[in-house]
Amino acid sequence: MKLTAKSKGPSRARAPVPDDVHVPGDCRRVSTVLARVGEKWSVLVIMLLRRGPERFNAIKRATNGIAQQMLTRTLKGLERDGLVTRTVFATVPPQVEYALTPLGHSLSGPVQALGLWALDHIPQIERARERFDEE
Amino acid sequence: MKLTAKSKGPSRARAPVPDDVHVPGDCRRVSTVLARVGEKWSVLVIMLLRRGPERFNAIKRATNGIAQQMLTRTLKGLERDGLVTRTVFATVPPQVEYALTPLGHSLSGPVQALGLWALDHIPQIERARERFDEE
DNA sequence: CGGTATCCAGGAAGATACTG
DNA sequence: CAGTATCTTCCTGGATACCG
């Protein structure tokens, strides 16, 4: 979403450029990133990996409660987006290390900002929810 | 995500993280905010309302393609979190105006930062996805 | 105009069992 | 250790119809 822009109507209609730029295509693509951030475990893993590479079970322990397959899926999603690398060492038993890519590190900045905002305002949000739910 | 209070069932989405050791309670609460941001339409509506209050159908037109009920749900969720206000004018036909609260305005900052990051890095992410999907 | 009420498809999250 | 394979629940998003 062009974050300062106004929608103009059906994207198939035409493309007369208005006073500001709203590109529906960009909008859709940005939302795939927001969706990734909104996933339950993705951000937790990203923040964890900021401190350095970790092995599968170390991440699992650190996230405390994630189902094994959910962690597999989460890591695969992050790897697919180029946010995390997966390195297999041919040892016995096998050892797999996950690490943030530069892209992943770069994402962790804005995500951290959002997280800090949330920490700051969660009491206010939770009060609003309670008030709303009372009716 | 269902942002209604405490789910206890073991098989619910967004099951509670155990209260003990490694995951601080704040983590869980932050993730409810991230989940809201990850919803398909929430951020779009927030960004739209930054420029000023809008009526229901104006938002609907601007978001271009949202189903009416999805907009109702989205707005209700934002209202519940105290991010948006809903004002009904007793006119004929009825007129309902939605506006960002100060809390909503405040959230739009970090969200915009994340959106700009996404715009900047989407090509890189999409290339990574294509590469990954080739195998 | 601005909603509810239904119903539906798809997928996210999870529990559990098995494997190289 | 680090995964797959299966099966289940139920949430998200959406389509459609009706209402005050």
Side-chain angles (χ1 to χ4, degrees):
Chain A
M1 30 226 90
K2 192 38 185 232
L3 299 164
T4 58
K6 165 170 202 168
S7 177
K8 282 286 303 158
S11 57
R12 61 186 183 282
R14 82 259 172 269
V17 177
D19 35 334
D20 54 13
V21 232
H22 178 204
V23 184
D26 283 345
C27 223
R28 187 187 50 73
R29 295 144 92 162
V30 165
S31 81
T32 69
V33 175
L34 298 184
R36 173 78 67 210
V37 168
E39 281 171 17
K40 186 167 178 179
W41 301 102
S42 296
V43 160
L44 194 52
V45 170
I46 288 173
M47 289 306 160
L48 185 73
L49 291 180
R50 282 182 102 191
R51 291 174 311 181
E54 293 276 12
R55 295 176 61 179
F56 185 89
N57 273 317
I59 301 174
K60 185 164 183 287
R61 275 188 301 276
T63 46
N64 185 37
I66 190 171
Q68 192 161 7
Q69 192 176 28
M70 272 313 302
L71 181 55
T72 300
R73 282 183 215 163
T74 299
L75 288 168
K76 201 160 277 179
L78 295 174
E79 191 195 354
R80 177 170 183 266
D81 284 2
L83 299 168
V84 154
T85 58
R86 174 177 180 274
T87 310
V88 183
F89 298 97
T91 57
V92 177
Q95 181 171 344
V96 182
E97 199 176 77
Y98 292 91
L100 278 192
T101 62
L103 186 66
H105 264 108
S106 150
L107 172 58
S108 77
V111 161
Q112 169 108 333
L114 189 57
L116 291 178
W117 183 93
L119 275 181
D120 257 11
H121 297 87
I122 277 258
Q124 198 174 343
I125 291 175
E126 287 180 346
R127 276 196 305 275
R129 285 175 184 169
E130 283 165 29
R131 232 175 304 136
F132 188 90
D133 291 343
E134 270 167 22
E135 282 114 55
Chain B
M1 168 181 193
K2 189 67 157 237
L3 293 161
T4 39
K6 34 227 123 195
S7 45
K8 302 221 162 164
S11 64
R12 295 182 69 90
R14 297 280 173 183
V17 177
D19 278 334
D20 58 341
V21 285
H22 219 304
V23 177
D26 283 345
C27 255
R28 277 170 294 160
R29 299 148 92 161
V30 166
S31 83
T32 68
V33 175
L34 298 183
R36 173 76 71 209
V37 168
E39 281 171 17
K40 186 165 180 182
W41 301 102
S42 296
V43 161
L44 193 53
V45 170
I46 289 172
M47 288 307 158
L48 185 73
L49 291 181
R50 280 182 104 191
R51 287 168 313 152
E54 292 275 11
R55 294 178 60 179
F56 185 89
N57 274 316
I59 301 173
K60 185 164 185 285
R61 276 189 302 275
T63 46
N64 185 35
I66 190 174
Q68 190 162 12
Q69 191 176 30
M70 274 312 302
L71 182 54
T72 299
R73 282 185 215 164
T74 299
L75 289 168
K76 202 160 278 183
L78 296 175
E79 193 194 352
R80 178 171 183 265
D81 284 1
L83 300 168
V84 155
T85 58
R86 176 177 179 273
T87 310
V88 183
F89 298 97
T91 58
V92 177
Q95 180 171 344
V96 182
E97 200 177 77
Y98 292 90
L100 279 193
T101 62
L103 186 66
H105 263 108
S106 150
L107 172 59
S108 78
V111 161
Q112 169 132 16
L114 189 58
L116 291 177
W117 183 94
L119 275 180
D120 257 11
H121 298 86
I122 277 255
Q124 198 174 342
I125 291 175
E126 287 180 347
R127 276 196 307 274
R129 285 176 184 168
E130 283 166 28
R131 233 175 301 135
F132 187 92
D133 291 343
E134 269 167 23
E135 281 111 57

